[in-house]
């Protein structure tokens, strides 16, 4: 009994903070999403039921934002996993400098999103490093290419940044997984006359399947939360063509003061992420 | 032993709770005595890159403190766009400052949110104070015959040009719209590094309105009730088309995400002309001290030479500490502070300050004071920020897509009409 009291006492502060700063805002946001939320003093918000949800679903910019976000996920997640796994497998083969390589790949992960976004902006600007290389050094073309000015290339730059920044995390995760694969299996494979590729596909991959699933789910959720890089590099320009879900949510809440809309949008996003995660779990389970 | 453990856990718990609640500072609601000291917060967007911020904190605030030893002013600096957001967010959580320096374009919106104090009915000496300020800026905070702020500084934009580039092409300084477009085309070159005749940092109302107005077009009617027939009138479409053509012929640039920033482009001789405000001098002085900026009035079209009226008001929020805030607002709009700010590029609105020798000797101000005579404010409606966003999106589409300008402007008119209706509810 006394133990129980002690446990409760110890849990209590954490629970209070969690409730106050996580649970309460979520509930409040849920309530908000059904109102035409007004922020002025002495102004009453109107209950409009699913009105905000309908507005979000009918909004063309939202469609663009979802499309861009999905595209971002579809490109960055597989690329990060494939490249990360390849590097992890290579690092796993060597005996010297393992730690050095791991640190080297992990550096982009620990740098701040803001800093690297600005660095990438600097590289891809019209008068940036890349255009300088193309026009002045390699003489491929005489005109600067507006990487950040066009919707497609602007998003491409953000995807590149996402991949480059995410590889290190994957390398570290997969390295840990690879070291758990029993050595005997590889030896058995040698006896059976398997080549390296066969060993990789028939022994390594099945053994680290769960880690891959974990990485896919984490990276997908991460991809849906892409914000800083887009906000800083293109800001959704031109004409909201490079918005992703979060930049659009931010814009609607803090620029257009449309809090009800943004609240509804955040729940729709949560629903989307849940659906995608469930599908991923199913797909991996059936194998 | 057990007892000890329980007590220590309990103490820890108390500690955490007290830390969590201790973060919340309580706002003193009012000051009743004159010998009590009061602290007021002042949010502003004085530029920290030029000397504005320094003058505020090192000259003006200490001087104010000398005069009113019992009032402390805490200044908080924001970026221009951030300040707008911050005020909106703080509105919902009821954490507004006492006084703020706000863009004149935001005042109608904030008034609609019910967060601004009606100065004329609350302050006894309002009439006397407001009579020291010139009418134009004073009226920027006037809504339905009530005043919600004091004019603090005013500005508009004029044409900055690169003299050596004009001379090289043998062109005179453009005074008409046609000359302007011709000059921009002639100056644009591609030998070695690309040069553009005209740089424009964005495509919002602040940037586009002057062209529309000078060409005789408009955004809405005089009553701000409808945009149809104004934003999609022949004169408006015509000038937007000219700008689009200029952009497509590589004669104009600056508003894309990857473009050279305006000050750099102009200072390095990559942009032949820009249209900017009085703060540009200080920025150029900081980054390109050897560069000699030359100025002229906005080129005139059928509607004359019409620029956009900018500037800031100083406002007080609904539950501010009234007396102390009012003292500070009076001080900021009084001669001393106005002259000090004028020295770093803020055009004063106080009549005495404008007539003072110090301000008259600032030669950079003359063309702006000329331009202010014909400058127009952006539509003072509460939904202006959203209208502005629609304008930006539409003009961007006109520049980058191949959709006809007329079609884009017709669609824009419908959107703006809806937003005007919301504002007039």
């Amino acid at each position: 009994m006394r133990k129980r009291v002690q446990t409760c006492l110890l849990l209590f502060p954490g629970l209070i903070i969690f409730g106050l700063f996580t649970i309460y805002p979520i509930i409040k946001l849920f309530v908000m999403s059904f109102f035409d939320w007004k922020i002025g003093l002495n102004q009453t918000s109107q209950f409009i039921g699913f009105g905000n949800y309908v507005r979000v679903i009918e909004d063309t910019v939202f469609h663009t934002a979802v499309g861009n976000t999905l595209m971002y996920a579809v490109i960055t997640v597989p690329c990060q996993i494939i490249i990360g796994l390849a590097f992890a497998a290579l690092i796993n083969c060597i005996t010297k400098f393992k730690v050095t390589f791991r640190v080297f790949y992990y550096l982009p992960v620990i740098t701040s999103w803001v800093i690297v976004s600005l660095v990438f902006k600097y590289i891809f600007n019209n008068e940036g490093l890349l255009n300088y290389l193309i026009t002045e050094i390699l003489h491929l073309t005489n005109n600067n290419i507006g990487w950040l000015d066009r919707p497609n290339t602007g998003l491409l730059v953000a995807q590149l940044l996402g991949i480059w920044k995410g590889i290190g995390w994957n390398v570290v995760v997969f390295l840990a997984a690879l070291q758990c694969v029993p050595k005997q299996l590889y030896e058995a494979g040698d006896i059976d006359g398997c080549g390296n590729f066969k060993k990789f596909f028939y022994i390594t991959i099945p053994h680290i399947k769960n880690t891959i699933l974990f990485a896919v789910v984490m990276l997908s959720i991460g991809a849906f939360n892409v914000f800083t890089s887009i906000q800083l590099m293109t800001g959704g320009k031109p004409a909201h063509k490079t918005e992703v879900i979060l930049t659009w949510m931010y814009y609607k809440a803090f620029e257009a003061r449309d809090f009800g809309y943004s609240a509804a949008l955040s729940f729709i996003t949560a629903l989307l992420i849940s659906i995608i995660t469930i599908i991923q779990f199913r797909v991996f389970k059936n194998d | 032993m057990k007892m000890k453990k329980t007590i220590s856990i309990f103490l820890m718990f108390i500690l955490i709770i007290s830390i969590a609640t201790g973060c919340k500072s309580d706002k003193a609601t009012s000051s009743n005595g004159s010998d009590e000291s009061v602290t007021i917060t002042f949010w502003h967007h004085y530029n920290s890159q030029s000397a504005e911020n320094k003058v505020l904190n090192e000259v003006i605030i200490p001087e104010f403190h000398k005069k009113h030893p019992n009032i402390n002013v805490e200044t908080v600096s924001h970026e221009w766009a951030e300040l707008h957001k911050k005020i909106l967010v703080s509105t919902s959580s009821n954490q507004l400052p006492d006084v703020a320096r706000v863009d004149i374009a935001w005042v109608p919106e904030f008034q609609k949110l019910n967060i601004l104090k009606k100065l004329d009915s609350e302050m006894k000496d309002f009439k006397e104070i407001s009579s020291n300020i010139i009418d134009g800026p004073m009226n920027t905070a006037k809504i339905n015959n009530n005043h919600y702020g004091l004019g603090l500084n005013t500005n508009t934009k004029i044409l900055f040009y690169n003299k050596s580039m004009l001379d090289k092409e043998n062109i005179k300084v453009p005074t008409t719209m046609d000359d302007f477009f011709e000059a921009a085309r002639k100056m644009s070159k591609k030998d070695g590094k690309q040069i553009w005749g005209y740089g424009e940092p964005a495509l919002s109302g602040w940037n586009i309105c002057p062209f529309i107005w000078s060409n005789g077009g408009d955004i809405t009617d005089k009553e701000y009730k409808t945009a149809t027939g104004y934003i999609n009138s022949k004169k408006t479409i015509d000038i937007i088309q000219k700008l689009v053509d200029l952009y497509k012929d590589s004669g104009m640039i600056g508003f894309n995400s990857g473009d050279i920033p305006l000050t750099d482009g102009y200072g390095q001789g990559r942009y032949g002309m820009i249209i900017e405000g009085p703060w540009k001098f200080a920025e150029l002085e900081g980054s390109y001290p050897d560069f000699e900026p030359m100025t002229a009035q906005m080129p005139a079209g059928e509607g004359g030479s019409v620029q956009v009226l900018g500037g800031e008001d100083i406002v007080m929020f609904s539950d501010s500490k009234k007396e102390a805030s009012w003292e500070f607002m009076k001080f900021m709009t009084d001669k001393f502070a106005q002259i000090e700010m004028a020295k770093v590029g803020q055009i004063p609105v106080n009549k005495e300050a404008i007539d003072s020798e110090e301000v008259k000797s600032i030669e950079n101000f003359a063309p702006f004071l000329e331009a202010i005579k014909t400058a127009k404010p952006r539509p003072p409606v509460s939904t202006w920020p959203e209208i502005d966003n629609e304008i930006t999106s539409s003009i961007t589409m006109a520049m980058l897509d191949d959709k006809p300008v007329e079609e884009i402007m017709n669609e824009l008119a419908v959107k703006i009409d809806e937003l005007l209706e919301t504002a007039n509810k």
Side-chain angles (χ1 to χ4, degrees):
Chain A
M1 188 62 217
R2 184 171 279 241
K3 239 201 161 74
R4 190 165 285 183
V5 171
Q6 276 186 9
T7 320
C8 285
L9 267 180
L10 279 174
L11 278 175
F12 205 56
L15 275 178
I16 280 198
I17 290 171
F18 182 70
L20 211 63
F21 294 105
T22 308
I23 305 286
Y24 169 71
I26 290 177
I27 293 169
K28 170 110 186 186
L29 195 71
F30 191 65
V31 172
M32 236 186 196
S33 70
F34 294 101
F35 282 83
D36 177 9
W37 196 263
K38 297 259 193 330
I39 56 168
L41 294 178
N42 340 326
Q43 302 213 10
T44 43
S45 302
Q46 270 179 316
F47 181 79
I48 50 170
F50 281 96
N52 285 323
Y53 288 86
V54 173
R55 275 172 56 218
V56 173
I57 288 163
E58 286 177 347
D59 186 357
T60 48
V61 180
F62 171 70
H63 301 166
T64 313
V66 170
N68 288 344
T69 311
L70 280 173
M71 201 64 211
Y72 184 89
V74 164
I75 292 195
T76 56
V77 175
C79 284
Q80 282 182 69
I81 289 187
I82 292 165
I83 300 171
L85 189 54
F87 281 137
L90 290 174
I91 294 173
N92 205 29
C93 295
I94 55 174
T95 42
K96 275 186 191 167
F97 303 120
K98 241 183 201 175
V99 177
T100 322
F101 273 108
R102 214 166 54 190
V103 169
F104 185 69
Y105 282 117
Y106 207 69
L107 270 180
V109 184
I110 50 174
T111 48
S112 126
W113 271 104
V114 176
I115 306 287
V116 289
S117 299
L118 292 176
V119 168
F120 266 62
K121 190 172 161 78
Y122 203 81
I123 295 171
F124 287 95
N125 261 345
N126 292 351
E127 303 271 319
L129 204 62
L130 185 66
N131 278 338
Y132 176 75
L133 275 177
I134 293 173
T135 55
E136 305 289 319
I137 309 287
L138 302 172
H139 296 294
L140 297 175
T141 160
N142 281 332
N143 296 321
N144 284 334
I145 300 166
W147 299 103
L148 298 171
D149 307 344
R150 298 268 174 268
N152 300 341
T153 48
L155 285 164
L156 189 73
V157 173
Q159 287 157 2
L160 272 178
L161 168 56
I163 294 168
W164 172 79
K165 201 170 178 324
I167 286 174
W169 181 83
N170 286 282
V171 167
V172 171
V173 168
F174 288 132
L175 257 180
L178 289 175
Q179 279 156 3
C180 296
V181 182
K183 289 269 183 298
Q184 300 90 320
L185 290 176
Y186 289 120
E187 285 161 9
D190 283 338
I191 293 165
D192 290 342
C194 290
N196 279 343
F197 272 99
K198 268 198 170 157
K199 271 195 289 192
F200 183 74
F201 282 108
Y202 289 105
I203 299 169
T204 316
I205 299 271
H207 257 95
I208 61 167
K209 208 176 84 176
N210 280 338
T211 312
I212 296 178
L213 168 66
F214 165 74
V216 168
V217 172
M218 291 302 282
L219 293 177
S220 305
I221 293 173
F224 269 85
N225 286 327
V226 59
F227 172 75
T228 316
S229 53
I230 300 271
Q231 185 76 9
L232 288 175
M233 288 194 297
T234 70
K237 287 200 289 188
H240 301 302
K241 289 255 192 306
T242 57
E243 299 279 4
V244 286
I245 294 177
L246 285 202
T247 53
W248 183 234
M249 194 190 298
Y250 181 83
Y251 179 88
K252 285 300 266 190
F254 302 119
E255 305 261 347
R257 309 193 305 281
D258 206 341
F259 286 93
Y261 178 104
S262 277
L265 176 55
S266 65
F267 277 96
I268 290 175
T269 311
L271 194 72
L272 270 176
I273 295 178
S274 313
I275 291 169
I276 286 169
T277 311
I278 289 166
I279 290 172
Q280 285 169 341
F281 270 105
R282 283 277 159 84
V283 168
F284 274 83
K285 270 223 173 75
N286 290 346
D287 279 359
Chain B
M1 192 60 220
K2 272 254 168 75
M3 196 63 206
K4 243 189 187 164
K5 210 167 164 186
T6 312
I7 285 174
S8 64
I9 287 173
F10 185 71
L11 283 177
M12 206 169 73
F13 172 65
I14 293 285
L15 187 77
I16 289 174
I17 291 293
S18 59
I19 288 172
T21 51
C23 300
K24 219 177 125 244
S25 64
D26 47 351
K27 242 182 164 177
T29 43
S30 70
S31 66
N32 36 22
S34 56
D35 36 332
E36 260 182 71
S37 94
V38 195
T39 301
I40 57 171
T41 39
F42 172 52
W43 286 3
H44 62 86
H45 54 272
Y46 282 118
N47 192 338
S48 44
Q49 283 168 325
S50 65
E52 294 170 9
N53 212 352
K54 211 169 145 186
V55 167
L56 175 75
N57 290 317
E58 292 171 19
V59 181
I60 295 177
I61 300 288
E63 182 67 21
F64 175 74
H65 202 65
K66 246 187 255 167
K67 285 200 166 140
H68 305 273
N70 60 337
I71 305 176
N72 287 316
V73 183
E74 271 182 19
T75 60
V76 185
S77 168
H78 297 83
E79 286 282 316
W80 175 84
E82 289 305 315
L83 180 61
H84 183 236
K85 274 186 222 141
K86 190 87 207 256
I87 290 176
L88 292 177
V89 173
S90 307
T91 298
S92 52
S93 56
N94 223 341
Q95 304 250 327
L96 287 162
D98 296 286
V99 184
R101 172 185 188 238
V102 298
D103 190 306
I104 55 173
W106 305 339
V107 175
E109 179 190 21
F110 293 162
Q111 189 271 328
K112 188 113 182 174
L113 292 175
N114 247 339
I115 54 177
L116 301 180
K117 246 200 180 46
K118 254 187 223 169
L119 299 177
D120 41 11
S121 57
E122 299 245 1
M123 304 298 165
K124 284 194 279 298
D125 51 354
F126 176 81
K127 265 213 158 60
E128 181 196 336
I129 297 297
S130 61
S131 65
N132 298 333
I133 297 170
I134 44 178
D135 286 347
M138 200 56 222
N139 288 337
T140 55
K142 185 178 169 185
I143 298 159
N144 309 331
N145 286 326
N146 282 306
H147 285 275
Y148 293 89
L150 296 173
L152 181 63
N153 52 266
T154 183
N155 62 53
T156 184
K157 298 185 293 178
I158 53 171
L159 180 74
F160 286 69
Y161 60 90
N162 184 320
K163 193 167 183 311
S164 65
M165 280 166 76
L166 276 182
D167 291 348
K168 211 165 113 187
E169 298 303 319
N170 254 330
I171 5 183
K172 288 205 293 287
V173 179
T175 51
T176 68
M177 273 286 163
D178 295 341
D179 291 351
F180 169 80
F181 282 102
E182 194 185 342
R185 276 201 163 73
K186 274 192 177 156
M187 275 194 263
S188 305
K189 283 232 165 3
K190 174 90 185 107
D191 40 354
K193 278 193 172 177
Q194 170 117 22
I195 290 170
W196 293 270
Y198 178 54
E200 183 60 80
L203 298 174
S204 65
W206 172 255
N207 314 85
I208 298 298
C209 285
F211 284 98
I212 295 176
W213 290 330
S214 298
N215 202 46
D218 213 334
I219 309 284
T220 67
D221 63 324
K222 291 235 172 354
E223 309 289 310
Y224 311 114
K225 293 270 188 287
T226 174
T228 302
Y230 297 91
I231 192 84
N232 55 353
S233 67
K234 194 183 166 307
K235 281 176 180 166
T236 306
I237 291 171
D238 172 57
I239 191 74
I240 301 291
Q241 187 66 56
K242 277 186 177 160
L243 288 167
V244 169
D245 293 344
L246 185 64
Y247 172 71
K248 288 189 171 160
D249 299 345
S250 307
M252 167 183 173
I253 197 96
F255 49 84
N256 295 312
S257 309
D259 288 340
I260 314 172
L262 208 67
T263 310
D264 299 329
Y266 178 60
Q268 295 168 359
R270 307 289 303 277
Y271 299 163
M273 298 180 283
I274 58 172
I275 293 183
E276 266 293 355
W279 50 84
K280 234 354 151 223
F281 288 109
E283 286 173 18
L284 284 163
E285 188 58 43
S287 313
Y288 301 95
D290 301 339
F291 184 79
E292 185 88 17
M294 300 293 285
T295 62
Q297 291 299 311
M298 171 86 189
E302 278 179 54
S305 162
V306 188
Q307 253 300 342
V308 58
L309 187 69
E312 273 77 24
D313 289 332
I314 189 162
V315 299
M316 191 192 303
F317 293 102
S318 308
D319 46 5
S320 306
K321 300 170 192 121
K322 204 162 93 173
E323 301 308 325
S325 303
W326 183 235
E327 283 306 325
F328 181 64
M329 285 167 75
K330 285 197 287 196
F331 185 81
M332 287 300 285
T333 53
D334 206 25
K335 192 176 162 183
F336 172 80
Q338 291 270 305
I339 289 175
E340 285 305 320
M341 272 297 168
K343 289 177 188 165
V344 287
Q346 296 291 339
I347 301 179
V349 294
N350 178 296
K351 289 172 184 168
E352 280 178 73
I354 293 172
D355 291 337
S356 69
E357 283 311 310
E358 290 107 315
V359 174
K360 278 188 174 156
S361 65
I362 304 174
E363 54 192 36
N364 288 343
F365 281 176
F368 290 100
L369 295 172
E370 182 61 32
I372 282 173
K373 289 176 188 166
T374 53
K376 278 173 65 168
R378 287 151 287 174
V381 291
S382 61
T383 47
W384 172 252
E386 285 108 294
I387 294 176
D388 205 13
N389 163 48
E390 292 295 349
I391 292 175
T392 308
S393 289
S394 299
I395 309 278
T396 308
M397 300 266 279
M399 295 278 179
L400 302 178
D401 287 2
D402 287 330
K403 211 168 163 185
V405 172
E406 192 171 350
E407 203 179 314
I408 291 175
M409 295 319 258
N410 285 337
E411 285 166 17
L412 176 62
V414 176
K415 285 177 187 158
I416 297 182
D417 279 349
E418 277 172 25
L419 289 164
L420 287 172
E421 208 176 309
T422 314
N424 291 322
K425 258 180 206 163

